[in-house]
Amino acid sequence: MELVVISIIIALGGFVQGLTGFGLALVSVPLLSLFIDVKVAIPLAGIFGWFVTFPIVYKMRRYVNWKTAVILFIGSLPGSYLGADILKHLPSDIILITMGVILVLSGLYSFTSKNTLFKSASKPISLGVGFFSGALGASVGEPGPPVIAYTSMLPWTNHETKSTLVFFFMLQMIGAIVGFWFKDLLTGGVLKYVGQAIPAFLIGVSLGMLSYNLLNKYQLNYHKIIYTLLIFLGTILIVKNI
């Protein structure tokens, strides 16, 4: 039964990732943490979140802002090591409450954000955003909020924003996975779950990509659905662990 539940959650995360280009960890980590140790859930979701970036980056490679993505990645490296250390030593309830707060704030921000703040990407700001993203990714499995917020403040097209985010996440997860390895968080149990959940993951991603085409066809706003789900999951985590 545990395997069935984990597979369903990974499939749901893969579906969201296939639909939006990001969000596997944002959706799957809070749900997984209701059934397994959060220190197992975060590396597990991180590995699958890394897998799915490769085909998206390849498909959208001509839109990637390579320079900004690499600068963000460089900033994330020390953050990833720090985050993995935090994950290893911080109590699980503190990690889950922090994750819940991040989900709620990022969901609310995404609902209200409308205008760009910067005229172009800044190297110092990109390094700082990358650092915090790396720390959050390795500690609570949520690298997205800082870079999603930052790129939404830049005058980029939707394709440039999505492709650059996914490429950054692909690079960032390398640092996070290395951090998990050195902190002994990539256990045999995590790798076993990965192997068992791969079929469900592939099904979820495929259905997500199919749904993306259908939603575009009927001009439905899937982003608001995802943001609502993030706020809901974040609220549950905060209430459950206070």
Side-chain angles (χ1 to χ4, degrees):
M1 180 58 66
E2 183 181 70
L3 173 60
V4 172
V5 171
I6 290 173
S7 296
I8 291 173
I9 294 172
I10 292 298
L12 176 61
F15 174 82
V16 172
Q17 188 87 17
L19 182 67
T20 66
F22 64 90
L24 188 146
L26 287 171
V27 172
S28 61
V29 171
L31 292 174
L32 286 170
S33 65
L34 298 176
F35 300 97
I36 59 177
D37 189 343
V38 67
K39 298 183 180 183
V40 174
I42 291 174
L44 174 61
I47 290 172
F48 279 113
W50 185 47
F51 286 165
V52 79
T53 59
F54 290 92
I56 297 175
V57 168
Y58 179 77
K59 183 178 180 179
M60 303 187 71
R61 61 191 182 279
R62 63 192 177 106
Y63 300 108
V64 176
N65 189 312
W66 303 100
K67 180 180 178 181
T68 301
V70 169
I71 293 173
L72 287 166
F73 171 62
I74 291 171
S76 75
L77 291 175
S80 295
Y81 184 83
L82 173 64
D85 194 54
I86 292 172
L87 174 61
K88 184 174 182 178
H89 296 99
L90 204 64
S92 294
D93 57 343
I94 301 299
I95 294 173
L96 292 170
I97 291 172
T98 302
M99 185 191 307
V101 171
I102 291 170
L103 291 175
V104 171
L105 291 179
S106 61
L108 291 173
Y109 176 84
S110 298
F111 266 122
T112 59
S113 176
K114 296 179 180 179
N115 300 318
T116 61
L117 181 63
F118 304 108
K119 293 182 178 180
S120 62
S122 163
K123 185 176 180 179
I125 294 176
S126 297
L127 286 170
V129 170
F131 176 85
F132 285 111
S133 178
L136 287 174
S139 60
V140 298
E142 312 294 354
V147 288
I148 292 170
Y150 177 52
T151 54
S152 71
M153 299 174 189
L154 294 169
W156 289 356
T157 65
N158 290 336
H159 285 324
E160 189 175 11
T161 299
K162 179 178 178 178
S163 61
T164 303
L165 281 174
V166 177
F167 179 60
F168 165 72
F169 291 143
M170 183 180 79
L171 296 178
Q172 184 270 331
M173 280 313 303
I174 296 174
I177 291 172
V178 170
F180 293 150
W181 175 267
F182 279 109
K183 296 300 178 180
D184 297 322
L185 295 168
L186 287 182
T187 62
V190 170
L191 298 179
K192 179 181 177 181
Y193 285 139
V194 170
Q196 293 173 332
I198 284 177
F201 166 73
L202 294 175
I203 292 171
V205 171
S206 300
L207 290 175
M209 295 176 70
L210 176 63
S211 298
Y212 173 78
N213 293 329
L214 292 175
L215 289 176
N216 277 335
K217 179 179 179 180
Y218 294 105
Q219 298 182 337
L220 298 176
N221 192 333
Y222 59 84
H223 287 102
K224 289 188 177 181
I225 299 173
I226 300 301
Y227 300 148
T228 302
L229 177 61
L230 297 183
I231 294 171
F232 175 71
L233 291 174
T235 302
I236 289 177
L237 287 178
I238 294 170
V239 172
K240 184 175 181 292
N241 291 279
I242 289 180

